[in-house]
Amino acid sequence: MHAERSPVAAIIALGVTQIIGYGTLYYSFSILAADMAKGLGWTTEWVFGALSAALLIGGATAPWVGRLIDAIGAGRVMAVGSLAASASLAACALAPGGVAFVAALIAMETASNLVLYGAAFALLVQIRPRAAQRSITYLTLIAGFASTVFWPVTTALHERMSWQDVYLVFAGLNLAVCFPLYVWLSLGLSKQGGAAIGQQSAVAGLLAPAQRKAGFRLMLVGFAALSLVVAAILVHMIPLLSGLGLGTSAAVVGTLFGPSQVLSRLVNMVFGRNLPPIALALIAATLMPASVALLALTAPSTTGAMVFAVVFGLGNGLFSIVIGTLPLALFGSEGYGTLQGKVMAARLIVAAMAPFAFAFALTTIGAGLSLAVTALLGGLGGLSFLAIRFLVGPARAA
């Protein structure tokens, strides 16, 4: 059977929505958190605690989202999610007090499950299953610019307006740009048969039925460990680098992260087309903990921080691909939305406390020890993926 072509228009449209989605719903938070805390009369740690609670509750809804994606199609779910994301951003901005703010934050993290990578990957699988691994790589290549675009954009907007006004601008972006694109994608998917399309070219998984339970558990442990590292570091990236003595250069160093993500995906796309997802998972699980350990050992060196940002970005760029491609490779395309829902739930629930815990650790045991513990926890991911490789067997893994 000839290889399916990637749906270029759908990938570009999803790339735009993922840049806006991650930029407005995730990357902007760390820059606006201090101003949020000041307005609410809270400490910054408690604002990150509210984010952790929102991630935890949002994670609990992810399996339901996954089943809904399989039932009605990812395009429709993402269209509804875009409206919910816009409304929740506006609700955060207009919240009269702490309780309303936390409720809106919970709604925002729940809406993010409907529009970010998990749903986007499922949409690509539903459109063309046999092209999905390649399509996911292309999508993550585009979406890797989210932090590069939205860290400086958020900072520039916040210099001119309050965090509430910034969130209202972001609500407008989701409504005016993302919603029409999701409606278009939904209509296109419906014309091709909705969630049931691509059945004739469905992808089979590498794991035998008897291996699936063990493989699923190992995959969840690996994803959860690396998601914890990502959640702890990314939310605190700019404040962490500033606290390590980099001062105003922290934002410049932080901008290296986004291009490094893109670079790793570009290199993988050009030179690693035949590299299996298990191998990518092992590489990502090596790079990210190693970069965190390097930052702990070299701080406050600007050079060390720059190397950290680049290597961490390289690892996270590959990890974003693996989140979509490894479940597809191991378990196949049938019921992929439900599987992604379970993966999202595990990742979000385990990582939910990471921003709050890391902020607390920074103030109690210091940056060096906090980074060392984070690196050790990330190392569990590599061990889990190594175990999956042995479970599958070298021949099938390749």
Side-chain angles (χ1 to χ4, degrees):
M1 182 180 293
H2 68 277
E4 288 184 327
R5 295 177 58 187
S6 294
V8 177
I11 292 169
I12 293 172
L14 280 173
V16 172
T17 64
Q18 295 305 289
I19 288 174
I20 294 173
Y22 273 101
T24 59
L25 299 170
Y26 189 76
Y27 287 116
S28 65
F29 191 87
S30 64
I31 294 173
L32 303 176
D35 200 16
M36 291 174 177
K38 189 182 299 183
L40 292 167
W42 294 355
T43 64
T44 304
E45 288 81 6
W46 280 109
V47 170
F48 282 112
L51 176 63
S52 294
L55 285 168
L56 183 66
I57 296 171
T61 68
W64 169 77
V65 173
R67 291 192 296 271
L68 190 64
I69 285 171
D70 280 338
I72 68 172
R76 292 174 182 172
V77 169
M78 297 181 88
V80 173
S82 185
L83 294 177
S86 180
S88 61
L89 282 163
C92 268
L94 301 173
V99 174
F101 172 80
V102 172
L105 200 60
I106 291 169
M108 190 168 78
E109 294 307 326
T110 302
S112 70
N113 290 335
L114 304 173
V115 296
L116 296 184
Y117 269 162
F121 294 159
L123 179 63
L124 292 174
V125 171
Q126 289 177 357
I127 293 173
R128 289 179 193 165
R130 290 196 174 275
Q133 289 199 20
R134 192 166 60 253
S135 298
I136 287 169
T137 301
Y138 296 153
L139 174 61
T140 57
L141 180 66
I142 299 170
F145 287 103
S147 62
T148 305
V149 171
F150 271 88
W151 272 335
V153 164
T154 304
T155 301
L157 288 174
H158 195 212
E159 288 173 354
R160 294 166 176 80
M161 59 183 72
S162 67
W163 74 264
Q164 290 96 334
D165 289 338
V166 174
Y167 260 19
L168 288 174
V169 170
F170 288 169
L173 267 180
N174 278 274
L175 187 61
V177 179
C178 297
F179 177 65
L181 289 174
Y182 287 138
V183 170
W184 173 71
L185 288 165
S186 176
L187 291 174
L189 190 60
S190 296
K191 289 178 182 178
Q192 299 177 70
I197 65 167
Q199 292 301 313
Q200 294 180 348
S201 58
V203 176
L206 291 172
L207 290 175
Q211 298 174 316
R212 290 194 161 208
K213 184 177 289 187
F216 183 70
R217 289 173 178 171
L218 287 169
M219 185 181 71
L220 287 191
V221 170
F223 282 166
L226 293 188
S227 295
L228 186 147
V229 176
V230 172
I233 299 298
L234 279 191
V235 172
H236 292 281
M237 176 80 83
I238 305 302
L240 171 66
L241 294 174
S242 298
L244 287 171
L246 273 75
T248 55
S249 63
V252 178
V253 172
T255 59
L256 295 173
F257 168 78
S260 299
Q261 286 192 112
V262 175
L263 177 63
S264 68
R265 294 162 186 167
L266 183 61
V267 170
N268 175 62
M269 185 178 70
V270 176
F271 299 106
R273 297 181 65 137
N274 297 320
L275 200 62
I278 296 175
L280 283 182
L282 286 168
I283 294 170
T286 300
L287 291 177
M288 283 197 286
S291 69
V292 174
L294 177 69
L295 182 63
L297 292 171
T298 60
S301 165
T302 302
T303 302
M306 292 173 70
V307 174
F308 150 76
V310 170
V311 176
F312 190 77
L314 292 173
N316 192 58
L318 296 179
F319 181 51
S320 299
I321 299 172
V322 169
I323 290 169
T325 60
L326 187 59
L328 181 62
L330 295 178
F331 302 96
S333 58
E334 186 177 350
Y336 180 85
T338 299
L339 185 65
Q340 269 293 341
K342 294 176 181 178
V343 168
M344 282 193 295
R347 290 176 52 232
L348 290 172
I349 290 172
V350 172
M353 292 307 297
F356 177 73
F358 194 74
F360 181 77
L362 286 174
T363 59
T364 52
I365 64 174
L369 278 176
S370 300
L371 290 169
V373 171
T374 303
L376 287 173
L377 291 172
L380 290 175
L383 294 176
S384 298
F385 295 137
L386 190 61
I388 290 175
R389 190 181 185 282
F390 282 114
L391 185 67
V392 172
R396 287 180 63 81

